[in-house]
Coordinates of all heavy atoms in Angstrom, one line a residue:
M21 N -10.9 26.1 40.1 CA -10.4 26.0 38.8 C -11.3 25.1 37.9 O -11.7 24.0 38.4 CB -9.0 25.6 38.8 CG -8.3 25.8 37.5 SD -6.5 25.6 37.8 CE -6.1 24.5 36.5
S22 N -11.6 25.4 36.7 CA -12.4 24.6 35.8 C -11.7 23.3 35.5 O -10.5 23.2 35.4 CB -12.6 25.4 34.5 OG -13.1 24.4 33.6
R23 N -12.5 22.2 35.6 CA -11.9 20.9 35.2 C -12.1 20.6 33.8 O -11.9 19.5 33.3 CB -12.6 19.8 36.1 CG -12.2 20.0 37.6 CD -13.0 19.0 38.4 NE -12.5 17.7 38.2 CZ -11.5 17.1 38.8 NH1 -10.9 17.7 39.8 NH2 -11.2 15.8 38.6
D24 N -12.6 21.6 33.0 CA -12.7 21.4 31.6 C -11.4 21.0 30.9 O -10.4 21.6 31.3 CB -13.3 22.6 30.9 CG -14.8 22.8 31.2 OD1 -15.4 21.8 31.7 OD2 -15.3 23.9 30.9
R25 N -11.5 20.1 30.0 CA -10.2 19.7 29.3 C -9.7 20.8 28.4 O -10.5 21.4 27.7 CB -10.5 18.5 28.5 CG -9.3 17.8 28.0 CD -9.6 16.4 27.5 NE -8.5 16.0 26.7 CZ -8.7 15.3 25.6 NH1 -9.9 15.0 25.2 NH2 -7.7 15.0 24.8
Q26 N -8.5 21.2 28.5 CA -7.9 22.2 27.7 C -7.4 21.5 26.4 O -6.8 20.4 26.4 CB -6.7 22.8 28.4 CG -7.1 23.5 29.7 CD -7.7 24.8 29.5 OE1 -7.2 25.7 28.7 NE2 -8.9 25.1 30.1
R27 N -7.6 22.2 25.3 CA -7.1 21.7 24.0 C -6.0 22.6 23.5 O -6.2 23.8 23.6 CB -8.2 21.5 23.0 CG -9.1 20.3 23.4 CD -10.2 20.2 22.3 NE -11.2 19.3 22.7 CZ -11.1 18.0 22.5 NH1 -10.1 17.5 21.8 NH2 -12.0 17.1 22.9
L28 N -5.0 22.0 22.9 CA -4.0 22.9 22.2 C -4.5 23.2 20.8 O -5.2 22.4 20.2 CB -2.7 22.1 22.1 CG -2.0 21.8 23.5 CD1 -0.8 21.0 23.3 CD2 -1.6 23.1 24.2
A29 N -4.1 24.3 20.3 CA -4.4 24.7 18.9 C -3.7 23.7 18.0 O -2.6 23.3 18.3 CB -4.0 26.1 18.7
I30 N -4.3 23.4 16.9 CA -3.7 22.5 15.9 C -3.9 23.1 14.5 O -5.0 23.6 14.3 CB -4.2 21.1 16.0 CG1 -3.4 20.2 15.1 CG2 -5.7 21.0 15.8 CD1 -3.7 18.7 15.4
S31 N -2.9 23.0 13.7 CA -3.2 23.5 12.3 C -2.7 22.4 11.4 O -1.7 21.8 11.6 CB -2.5 24.8 12.1 OG -1.2 24.6 11.7
R32 N -3.5 22.2 10.4 CA -3.1 21.2 9.4 C -3.1 21.9 8.0 O -3.9 22.8 7.8 CB -4.1 20.1 9.3 CG -4.1 19.3 10.6 CD -4.5 17.8 10.3 NE -4.3 17.0 11.5 CZ -5.3 16.7 12.3 NH1 -6.5 17.2 12.1 NH2 -5.0 15.9 13.3
P33 N -2.3 21.5 7.1 CA -2.4 22.1 5.8 C -3.6 21.6 5.0 O -4.2 20.6 5.3 CB -1.1 21.5 5.1 CG -0.8 20.3 5.8 CD -1.3 20.5 7.2
K34 N -4.1 22.5 4.1 CA -5.2 22.1 3.3 C -4.7 21.1 2.2 O -3.5 21.1 1.9 CB -5.8 23.3 2.6 CG -6.7 24.1 3.5 CD -7.1 25.4 2.9 CE -8.0 25.2 1.7 NZ -8.5 26.4 1.2
Q35 N -5.6 20.3 1.7 CA -5.1 19.4 0.6 C -4.5 20.2 -0.5 O -5.1 21.2 -0.9 CB -6.3 18.6 0.1 CG -5.8 17.6 -1.0 CD -6.9 16.9 -1.7 OE1 -8.0 17.3 -1.7 NE2 -6.6 15.8 -2.3
G36 N -3.4 19.8 -1.0 CA -2.8 20.5 -2.1 C -2.4 21.9 -1.7 O -2.4 22.8 -2.5
A37 N -2.0 22.1 -0.4 CA -1.6 23.5 0.0 C -0.5 24.1 -0.8 O -0.5 25.3 -1.0 CB -1.2 23.4 1.5
A38 N 0.3 23.3 -1.4 CA 1.4 23.8 -2.2 C 1.1 23.8 -3.7 O 2.0 24.0 -4.5 CB 2.7 23.0 -1.9
G39 N -0.2 23.6 -4.0 CA -0.6 23.6 -5.4 C -0.4 22.3 -6.1 O 0.1 21.4 -5.6
K40 N -0.9 22.3 -7.4 CA -0.8 21.1 -8.2 C 0.7 20.8 -8.5 O 1.5 21.7 -8.7 CB -1.6 21.2 -9.5 CG -3.1 21.0 -9.3 CD -3.8 20.9 -10.6 CE -5.3 20.7 -10.3 NZ -6.0 20.5 -11.5
T41 N 1.0 19.5 -8.6 CA 2.4 19.2 -8.9 C 2.5 19.2 -10.5 O 1.6 18.7 -11.2 CB 2.7 17.8 -8.4 OG1 2.3 17.7 -7.0 CG2 4.1 17.4 -8.6
G42 N 3.6 19.7 -10.9 CA 3.8 19.7 -12.4 C 4.5 18.4 -12.8 O 4.3 17.4 -12.1
A43 N 5.2 18.5 -13.9 CA 5.8 17.2 -14.4 C 7.1 17.0 -13.8 O 7.9 16.1 -14.3 CB 5.9 17.4 -15.9
W44 N 7.5 17.8 -12.8 CA 8.9 17.7 -12.3 C 9.1 16.6 -11.2 O 10.2 16.3 -10.9 CB 9.3 19.0 -11.7 CG 8.3 19.6 -10.7 CD1 7.3 20.5 -11.0 CD2 8.1 19.3 -9.3 NE1 6.6 20.8 -9.8 CE2 7.1 20.1 -8.8 CE3 8.8 18.4 -8.4 CZ2 6.7 20.0 -7.5 CZ3 8.4 18.3 -7.1 CH2 7.3 19.1 -6.6
R45 N 8.0 15.9 -10.7 CA 8.1 14.9 -9.7 C 9.0 13.8 -10.2 O 8.7 13.3 -11.4 CB 6.8 14.4 -9.2 CG 6.9 13.5 -8.0 CD 5.5 13.0 -7.5 NE 4.8 12.4 -8.6 CZ 3.5 12.7 -8.8 NH1 2.8 13.4 -8.0 NH2 2.9 12.1 -9.8
V46 N 9.9 13.3 -9.5 CA 10.8 12.2 -9.9 C 10.4 10.9 -9.4 O 10.4 9.9 -10.0 CB 12.3 12.5 -9.5 CG1 13.2 11.4 -10.0 CG2 12.7 13.9 -10.0
F47 N 9.9 10.9 -8.1 CA 9.5 9.6 -7.5 C 8.0 9.8 -7.0 O 7.6 10.9 -6.7 CB 10.3 9.3 -6.3 CG 11.7 8.9 -6.6 CD1 12.8 9.8 -6.5 CD2 12.0 7.6 -7.1 CE1 14.1 9.5 -6.9 CE2 13.3 7.3 -7.4 CZ 14.3 8.2 -7.3
K48 N 7.3 8.7 -7.0 CA 5.9 8.7 -6.5 C 5.8 7.5 -5.5 O 6.4 6.5 -5.6 CB 4.9 8.6 -7.6 CG 4.9 7.2 -8.3 CD 3.8 7.2 -9.3 CE 3.8 5.9 -10.1 NZ 2.9 5.8 -11.1
P49 N 4.9 7.7 -4.4 CA 4.8 6.7 -3.4 C 3.8 5.6 -3.9 O 2.8 5.9 -4.5 CB 4.2 7.5 -2.2 CG 3.5 8.6 -2.8 CD 4.2 9.0 -4.1
V50 N 4.1 4.4 -3.6 CA 3.2 3.3 -3.9 C 3.1 2.5 -2.6 O 4.0 2.1 -2.0 CB 3.8 2.3 -5.0 CG1 2.9 1.1 -5.2 CG2 3.9 3.1 -6.3
R51 N 1.8 2.3 -2.1 CA 1.5 1.6 -0.9 C 1.2 0.2 -1.1 O 0.5 -0.2 -2.0 CB 0.3 2.3 -0.2 CG 0.1 1.9 1.3 CD -1.0 2.7 1.9 NE -2.2 2.6 1.1 CZ -3.2 1.7 1.3 NH1 -3.0 0.8 2.3 NH2 -4.2 1.6 0.6
D52 N 1.9 -0.7 -0.3 CA 1.7 -2.1 -0.4 C 0.6 -2.5 0.6 O 0.8 -2.5 1.8 CB 3.0 -2.8 0.0 CG 2.9 -4.4 -0.1 OD1 1.7 -4.9 0.0 OD2 3.9 -5.0 -0.3
E53 N -0.6 -2.8 0.1 CA -1.8 -3.2 0.9 C -1.5 -4.3 1.8 O -2.0 -4.4 3.0 CB -3.0 -3.5 0.0 CG -4.3 -3.6 0.6 CD -4.9 -2.3 1.0 OE1 -5.0 -1.4 0.2 OE2 -5.2 -2.1 2.2
G54 N -0.7 -5.2 1.4 CA -0.3 -6.4 2.2 C 0.5 -6.1 3.5 O 0.3 -6.7 4.5
K55 N 1.3 -5.1 3.4 CA 2.1 -4.7 4.6 C 1.5 -3.7 5.4 O 1.8 -3.5 6.6 CB 3.5 -4.1 4.1 CG 4.4 -5.1 3.4 CD 5.7 -4.4 3.2 CE 6.7 -5.2 2.3 NZ 7.8 -4.5 1.9
C56 N 0.6 -2.9 4.8 CA 0.0 -1.7 5.5 C -1.0 -2.2 6.6 O -1.8 -3.1 6.4 CB -0.8 -0.9 4.5 SG -1.7 0.5 5.2
N57 N -0.9 -1.6 7.8 CA -1.8 -1.9 8.9 C -2.9 -0.8 9.1 O -3.6 -0.7 10.1 CB -1.1 -2.1 10.2 CG -0.4 -0.9 10.7 OD1 -0.5 0.2 10.1 ND2 0.3 -1.0 11.9
R58 N -2.9 0.2 8.1 CA -3.9 1.3 8.1 C -3.8 2.1 9.3 O -4.8 2.6 9.8 CB -5.3 0.7 7.9 CG -5.4 -0.2 6.6 CD -6.8 -0.6 6.3 NE -7.5 0.5 5.7 CZ -7.4 0.9 4.4 NH1 -6.6 0.3 3.6 NH2 -8.1 1.9 3.9
C59 N -2.6 2.4 9.8 CA -2.5 3.2 11.1 C -2.7 4.7 10.8 O -3.0 5.5 11.6 CB -1.1 3.0 11.7 SG 0.3 3.6 10.6
G60 N -2.5 5.1 9.5 CA -2.7 6.5 9.1 C -1.6 7.4 9.4 O -1.7 8.7 9.2
I61 N -0.5 6.9 9.8 CA 0.7 7.8 10.2 C 1.2 8.5 8.9 O 1.5 9.7 8.9 CB 1.8 7.0 10.8 CG1 1.4 6.7 12.3 CG2 3.1 7.8 10.8 CD1 2.3 5.8 13.0
C62 N 1.2 7.9 7.8 CA 1.6 8.5 6.5 C 0.7 9.7 6.2 O 1.3 10.8 5.8 CB 1.5 7.5 5.4 SG -0.1 6.7 5.2
A63 N -0.6 9.6 6.4 CA -1.5 10.7 6.1 C -1.2 11.9 7.1 O -1.3 13.0 6.7 CB -2.9 10.2 6.2
L64 N -0.9 11.5 8.3 CA -0.6 12.6 9.3 C 0.6 13.4 9.0 O 0.7 14.6 9.2 CB -0.4 11.8 10.7 CG -0.6 12.6 11.9 CD1 -2.1 13.0 12.0 CD2 -0.3 11.7 13.1
Y65 N 1.6 12.7 8.4 CA 2.9 13.4 8.1 C 3.0 14.0 6.8 O 3.8 14.9 6.5 CB 4.0 12.4 8.3 CG 4.5 12.2 9.7 CD1 4.0 11.3 10.5 CD2 5.6 13.0 10.2 CE1 4.4 11.1 11.8 CE2 6.0 12.9 11.5 CZ 5.4 12.0 12.3 OH 5.9 11.8 13.6
C66 N 2.1 13.7 5.8 CA 2.2 14.2 4.5 C 2.1 15.7 4.5 O 1.0 16.3 5.0 CB 1.1 13.6 3.6 SG 1.1 14.4 2.0
P67 N 3.1 16.5 4.1 CA 3.0 17.9 4.2 C 2.0 18.6 3.3 O 1.6 19.7 3.5 CB 4.5 18.4 3.9 CG 5.0 17.2 3.1 CD 4.3 16.0 3.6
D68 N 1.5 17.9 2.3 CA 0.6 18.4 1.4 C -0.8 17.8 1.6 O -1.7 18.1 0.8 CB 1.0 18.2 -0.1 CG 0.8 19.5 -0.9 OD1 0.5 20.5 -0.3 OD2 0.9 19.4 -2.1
S69 N -0.9 17.0 2.6 CA -2.2 16.4 3.0 C -2.9 15.7 1.9 O -4.1 15.9 1.7 CB -3.1 17.5 3.6 OG -3.8 17.1 4.7
V70 N -2.2 14.9 1.1 CA -2.8 14.3 -0.1 C -3.2 12.9 0.1 O -3.6 12.2 -0.8 CB -1.9 14.5 -1.3 CG1 -1.7 16.0 -1.6 CG2 -0.6 13.7 -1.2
I71 N -3.0 12.3 1.3 CA -3.4 11.0 1.6 C -4.8 11.0 2.4 O -4.8 11.5 3.5 CB -2.4 10.2 2.4 CG1 -1.0 10.3 1.7 CG2 -2.8 8.7 2.6 CD1 0.1 9.6 2.4
D72 N -5.8 10.5 1.7 CA -7.2 10.6 2.4 C -7.4 9.5 3.4 O -6.6 8.7 3.7 CB -8.3 10.7 1.3 CG -8.5 9.4 0.5 OD1 -8.0 8.4 1.0 OD2 -9.1 9.5 -0.6
E73 N -8.7 9.5 3.9 CA -9.0 8.6 5.0 C -9.0 7.1 4.5 O -8.8 6.2 5.3 CB -10.4 8.9 5.5 CG -10.5 10.1 6.4 CD -11.5 11.1 5.9 OE1 -12.5 10.7 5.4 OE2 -11.2 12.3 6.1
D74 N -9.1 6.9 3.2 CA -9.0 5.6 2.6 C -7.6 5.2 2.2 O -7.4 4.2 1.6 CB -10.0 5.4 1.4 CG -11.4 5.6 1.8 OD1 -11.8 5.1 2.9 OD2 -12.2 6.2 1.1
L75 N -6.7 6.1 2.6 CA -5.3 6.0 2.3 C -5.0 6.1 0.8 O -3.9 5.6 0.4 CB -4.7 4.7 2.9 CG -4.9 4.7 4.5 CD1 -4.4 3.3 5.0 CD2 -4.1 5.8 5.2
E76 N -5.9 6.6 0.1 CA -5.6 6.9 -1.4 C -4.7 8.1 -1.5 O -4.9 9.1 -0.8 CB -6.9 7.1 -2.1 CG -7.9 6.0 -2.2 CD -7.3 4.8 -3.0 OE1 -6.6 5.0 -3.9 OE2 -7.6 3.6 -2.6
I77 N -3.7 8.0 -2.3 CA -2.8 9.1 -2.5 C -3.1 9.9 -3.8 O -3.2 9.3 -4.9 CB -1.3 8.6 -2.6 CG1 -1.0 7.8 -1.3 CG2 -0.3 9.7 -2.8 CD1 0.3 7.0 -1.4
D78 N -3.4 11.2 -3.6 CA -3.8 12.0 -4.8 C -2.5 12.5 -5.5 O -1.8 13.4 -5.0 CB -4.6 13.2 -4.3 CG -5.2 14.0 -5.5 OD1 -4.6 13.8 -6.6 OD2 -6.1 14.7 -5.3
L79 N -2.2 11.8 -6.6 CA -0.9 12.1 -7.2 C -0.9 13.4 -8.0 O 0.1 13.9 -8.4 CB -0.5 10.9 -8.2 CG -0.2 9.6 -7.5 CD1 0.1 8.5 -8.5 CD2 1.0 9.8 -6.6
E80 N -2.1 14.0 -8.1 CA -2.1 15.3 -8.7 C -1.4 16.4 -7.9 O -0.9 17.4 -8.4 CB -3.6 15.7 -9.0 CG -3.7 16.7 -10.1 CD -5.1 16.9 -10.6 OE1 -6.0 16.1 -10.2 OE2 -5.4 17.8 -11.3
F81 N -1.4 16.1 -6.6 CA -0.9 17.1 -5.6 C 0.4 16.5 -4.9 O 1.2 17.3 -4.4 CB -1.9 17.5 -4.6 CG -3.0 18.3 -5.1 CD1 -4.3 17.6 -5.4 CD2 -2.9 19.6 -5.4 CE1 -5.3 18.4 -5.9 CE2 -4.0 20.3 -5.9 CZ -5.2 19.7 -6.2
C82 N 0.6 15.2 -4.9 CA 1.7 14.6 -4.2 C 3.0 15.2 -4.8 O 3.2 15.2 -6.1 CB 1.7 13.1 -4.4 SG 3.2 12.3 -3.9
K83 N 4.0 15.6 -4.0 CA 5.2 16.1 -4.4 C 6.3 15.1 -4.5 O 7.5 15.4 -4.9 CB 5.6 17.3 -3.5 CG 4.6 18.4 -3.4 CD 4.4 19.1 -4.7 CE 3.3 20.2 -4.7 NZ 1.9 19.7 -4.6
G84 N 6.1 13.9 -4.1 CA 7.1 12.9 -4.2 C 8.2 13.1 -3.2 O 9.3 12.6 -3.4
C85 N 7.9 13.7 -2.1 CA 9.0 14.0 -1.1 C 9.5 12.8 -0.3 O 10.6 12.8 0.2 CB 8.4 15.1 -0.1 SG 7.1 14.5 0.9
G86 N 8.6 11.8 -0.2 CA 9.0 10.5 0.4 C 8.9 10.5 1.9 O 9.3 9.6 2.6
I87 N 8.3 11.6 2.5 CA 8.2 11.6 4.0 C 7.2 10.5 4.4 O 7.5 9.8 5.4 CB 7.6 13.0 4.4 CG1 8.7 14.1 4.2 CG2 7.1 13.0 5.8 CD1 8.2 15.5 4.4
C88 N 6.2 10.2 3.7 CA 5.2 9.2 4.0 C 6.0 7.8 4.1 O 5.8 7.0 5.1 CB 4.1 9.1 3.0 SG 4.6 9.0 1.3
A89 N 6.8 7.6 3.1 CA 7.6 6.3 3.1 C 8.5 6.2 4.2 O 8.7 5.2 4.9 CB 8.3 6.2 1.7
N90 N 9.1 7.4 4.6 CA 10.1 7.4 5.6 C 9.4 7.2 7.0 O 10.0 6.5 7.9 CB 10.8 8.8 5.6 CG 12.1 8.7 6.3 OD1 13.0 7.9 5.9 ND2 12.4 9.6 7.2
E91 N 8.2 7.7 7.2 CA 7.6 7.6 8.5 C 6.8 6.3 8.7 O 6.4 6.0 9.8 CB 6.6 8.8 8.7 CG 7.4 10.2 8.7 CD 8.3 10.3 9.9 OE1 8.1 9.6 10.9 OE2 9.3 11.1 9.7
C92 N 6.5 5.6 7.6 CA 5.7 4.4 7.7 C 6.4 3.4 8.6 O 7.4 2.9 8.2 CB 5.4 3.8 6.4 SG 4.5 2.2 6.5
P93 N 5.8 3.0 9.7 CA 6.4 2.0 10.6 C 6.5 0.6 10.0 O 7.2 -0.2 10.5 CB 5.5 2.0 11.9 CG 4.2 2.6 11.4 CD 4.5 3.5 10.3
K94 N 5.6 0.3 9.0 CA 5.6 -1.0 8.4 C 6.4 -1.1 7.1 O 6.4 -2.1 6.5 CB 4.2 -1.4 8.2 CG 3.3 -1.4 9.4 CD 3.8 -2.4 10.4 CE 3.0 -3.6 10.4 NZ 3.5 -4.6 11.5
K95 N 7.0 0.0 6.8 CA 7.8 0.1 5.5 C 6.9 -0.4 4.3 O 7.3 -1.1 3.5 CB 9.0 -0.7 5.6 CG 10.0 -0.2 6.6 CD 10.7 1.1 6.1 CE 11.4 1.8 7.2 NZ 11.1 3.2 7.4
A96 N 5.6 0.1 4.4 CA 4.6 -0.3 3.4 C 4.6 0.6 2.1 O 3.9 0.3 1.2 CB 3.3 -0.4 4.0
I97 N 5.3 1.7 2.2 CA 5.3 2.6 1.1 C 6.7 2.6 0.4 O 7.7 2.8 1.1 CB 4.9 4.1 1.5 CG1 3.5 4.1 2.1 CG2 5.0 5.0 0.3 CD1 3.0 5.4 2.6
T98 N 6.7 2.4 -0.9 CA 7.9 2.4 -1.6 C 7.9 3.6 -2.6 O 6.9 3.9 -3.2 CB 8.1 1.1 -2.5 OG1 7.8 0.0 -1.6 CG2 9.5 1.0 -3.1
M99 N 9.0 4.3 -2.7 CA 9.1 5.4 -3.7 C 9.6 4.8 -5.0 O 10.7 4.2 -5.0 CB 10.0 6.5 -3.2 CG 9.6 7.1 -1.9 SD 7.9 7.9 -1.9 CE 8.1 9.3 -3.0
V100 N 8.8 5.0 -6.0 CA 9.3 4.4 -7.3 C 9.4 5.6 -8.4 O 8.8 6.6 -8.2 CB 8.3 3.4 -7.9 CG1 8.1 2.2 -6.9 CG2 6.9 4.0 -8.1
R101 N 10.2 5.3 -9.4 CA 10.4 6.3 -10.4 C 9.1 6.7 -11.1 O 8.3 5.8 -11.4 CB 11.3 5.8 -11.6 CG 12.8 5.9 -11.4 CD 13.3 7.2 -11.1 NE 13.6 8.0 -12.3 CZ 14.6 8.9 -12.4 NH1 15.4 9.0 -11.4 NH2 14.7 9.7 -13.4
D102 N 8.8 8.0 -11.2 CA 7.5 8.4 -11.8 C 7.6 8.4 -13.3 O 8.6 8.7 -13.9 CB 7.2 9.8 -11.3 CG 5.7 10.1 -11.4 OD1 5.0 9.2 -11.8 OD2 5.4 11.2 -11.0
Ligands
SF4_21 S1 2.0 4.7 7.7 FE1 2.3 2.8 6.6 S2 1.2 1.2 7.7 FE2 0.4 3.2 8.4 S3 -1.3 3.6 7.0 FE3 0.4 4.5 6.1 S4 1.2 3.0 4.6 FE4 -0.1 1.9 6.1
SF4_22 S1 5.5 11.6 -1.2 FE1 5.3 13.4 0.1 S2 3.6 14.6 -0.8 FE2 3.5 12.5 -1.6 S3 2.0 11.4 -0.4 FE3 4.1 11.1 0.5 S4 4.4 12.6 2.0 FE4 2.7 13.3 0.7

């Protein structure tokens, strides 16, 4: 039997998979640089893949769902009124 490492298939959404956000967003995420440890978990969980490698959040596509804030282990993201 081959000892090659098997990899599982993985699929990620494209940036802005759900399209541009209109004016309907109520809350937007704000990251606190002082609390953030740059683990990248927020980017991993964002369903619209709008948090890039530098942890910049693209508000043109962000839906304000709050999943990033909810998953952040350091509570470094706050959802504020848009
Ligand atoms: S999950 Fe929280 S601590 Fe981790 S990179 Fe994102 S904002 Fe920073
Ligand atoms: S609020 Fe939702 S869409 Fe916006 S960056 Fe966080 S997880 Fe992504």
